[in-house]
Amino acid sequence: MTKSHGRKSRARNTSRTRGAAFASANAGTLHQHSSGPSAADLQPADPKRWGIDTAPDMRTASALIGACMERCAPCQQLLADKLLDEAAVVLAVLAGSVYTLHAESEADAGAQASRATQAFFGLVKQAREYRDPGHLPPVVEMLPREHRAELLEDTLDLWTYYGHVDAALLRERYPSPNGLSTVTVTVEGSDPQTGPGVVVDLSALAHPAAYSVRTDMTRTGSGLVPSVALVPESPEAGYDDLRWRCGWEPYIFQGLPSVDPAWVLKIDRTGGALLGVVRLLDATLLPERQPWEWRQNVYDRILWRAPVPAPVSASAEWLEAARRQDTVLLYGPLDAGAVTPAEWEAGAATPPDWERLVSVHAYCRFTDRM
């Protein structure tokens, strides 16, 4: 008996007492399932769009889809467990591609979808709108295993439904980027990787408060500083939103509060366009850590993001000051047509409504994406 035959014989004996699935895994004798897309079909055309340098290994995902389409329960169980142990980007790509196709014709993830899947589907729609899936892997990585398992189960149901669609169509749902990653995540628990009860909450993404921005230079006790005024563009935007939802403090004329590292203004490092005003999730989740340890691309507030395709640009003087000082004064609400503090100092007839202004001293981050 050859070594291979001996191994399979032992596997058959073991399966009588420990189950066929267990034995197959240890013997390396899983069935070959090729009904679904190949591993190459599932790989993203541009891995950097997903926040990685090289294409992920999608062989387990490919085999798992095939096992589901062929209704092979032992292989489904084993391959699903194996996939959940792999890098989060594998599940993100597997789920993101098929739910992007689903979003083209459906408004929601389905009545039977888990809460984790419903949240993920909302992020997929954001990625589809802005043609940028880069925030999907970090979100999947933050989910605890049981929620990833729920997402995987729903994903496989959908892959079985769409399984005969040309896989090449599924992997090219994100053409060249015209916009920005936008993700808001709320996590219940003490640790973003393993904390209990981790839930992706899309409520802030859907918050109706909308703003536009204006750049200027504001005089403070420390001299002129780059500043950004928030101009309300919806009834929900304004003083109450900035003061209570965002936690900004009353504006101090010619004063400059201490820097609040939770708030960041993101600026395109190449063209100087303003990308967005965000609050970092880890400021809430991990306040005991130093700010430089917080992740810079996971937020619990996106107060403003640049319009697509026309971003807001700043003057060369403003950008030079922002680079030199590394911080910016954010303030508002500045009603349309209202006078800014800088315009008041320059001789404008009507002063700002000081009692209705709030502010925060935020960091600037020059980057290539939101």
Side-chain angles (χ1 to χ4, degrees), residues 135-355:
H135 61 272
L136 297 179
V139 170
V140 172
E141 187 174 9
M142 293 177 68
L143 294 173
R145 187 182 179 90
E146 60 268 26
H147 289 175
R148 293 200 306 273
E150 293 172 353
L151 173 60
L152 176 59
E153 181 178 359
D154 292 334
T155 294
L156 293 172
D157 287 343
L158 207 58
W159 265 108
T160 302
Y161 177 76
Y162 286 118
H164 296 291
V165 175
D166 183 359
L169 295 177
L170 290 171
R171 69 176 179 146
E172 290 297 343
R173 293 295 169 179
Y174 300 103
S176 59
N178 292 325
L180 310 171
S181 292
T182 55
V183 54
T184 301
V185 183
T186 300
V187 177
E188 300 170 359
S190 60
D191 189 283
Q193 305 299 329
T194 61
V198 180
V199 175
V200 179
D201 182 1
L202 300 181
S203 59
L205 277 176
H207 197 280
Y211 296 88
S212 59
V213 298
R214 291 173 54 182
T215 60
D216 55 20
M217 300 292 293
T218 298
R219 185 173 301 282
T220 71
S222 302
L224 286 174
V225 300
S227 55
V228 174
L230 278 295
V231 180
E233 298 289 347
S234 69
E236 296 80 7
Y239 176 85
D240 288 343
D241 181 60
L242 296 176
R243 181 71 178 95
W244 306 117
R245 183 173 74 96
C246 298
W248 292 10
E249 297 296 331
Y251 187 95
I252 302 174
F253 178 61
Q254 290 193 348
L256 186 64
S258 299
V259 176
D260 183 346
W263 286 94
V264 179
L265 172 67
K266 295 211 164 184
I267 305 170
D268 181 74
R269 64 160 56 98
T270 302
L274 274 58
L275 300 180
V277 175
V278 301
R279 188 181 189 280
L280 302 181
L281 169 66
D282 287 351
T284 300
L285 191 65
L286 304 170
E288 73 282 358
R289 295 190 183 177
Q290 296 299 326
W292 58 81
E293 297 181 285
W294 295 342
R295 291 162 297 170
Q296 298 298 309
N297 61 346
V298 182
Y299 321 126
D300 65 0
R301 290 285 185 276
I302 299 177
L303 185 59
W304 169 82
R305 67 185 180 207
V308 178
V312 176
S313 298
S315 68
E317 176 192 13
W318 191 97
L319 289 170
E320 174 59 29
R323 289 183 185 276
R324 184 176 63 254
Q325 299 180 25
D326 203 32
T327 63
V328 62
L329 180 66
L330 306 176
Y331 71 92
L334 186 70
D335 294 331
V339 171
T340 68
E343 291 170 337
W344 165 246
E345 284 198 341
T350 305
D353 186 354
W354 302 111
E355 293 185 356

Side-chain angles (χ1 to χ4, degrees), residues 99 103 106-108 120-130:
Y99 272 105
E106 302 294 335
D108 56 53
F120 183 83
F121 183 68
L123 294 174
V124 166
K125 290 194 292 185
Q126 292 284 325
R128 180 171 175 263
E129 179 182 357
Y130 289 95

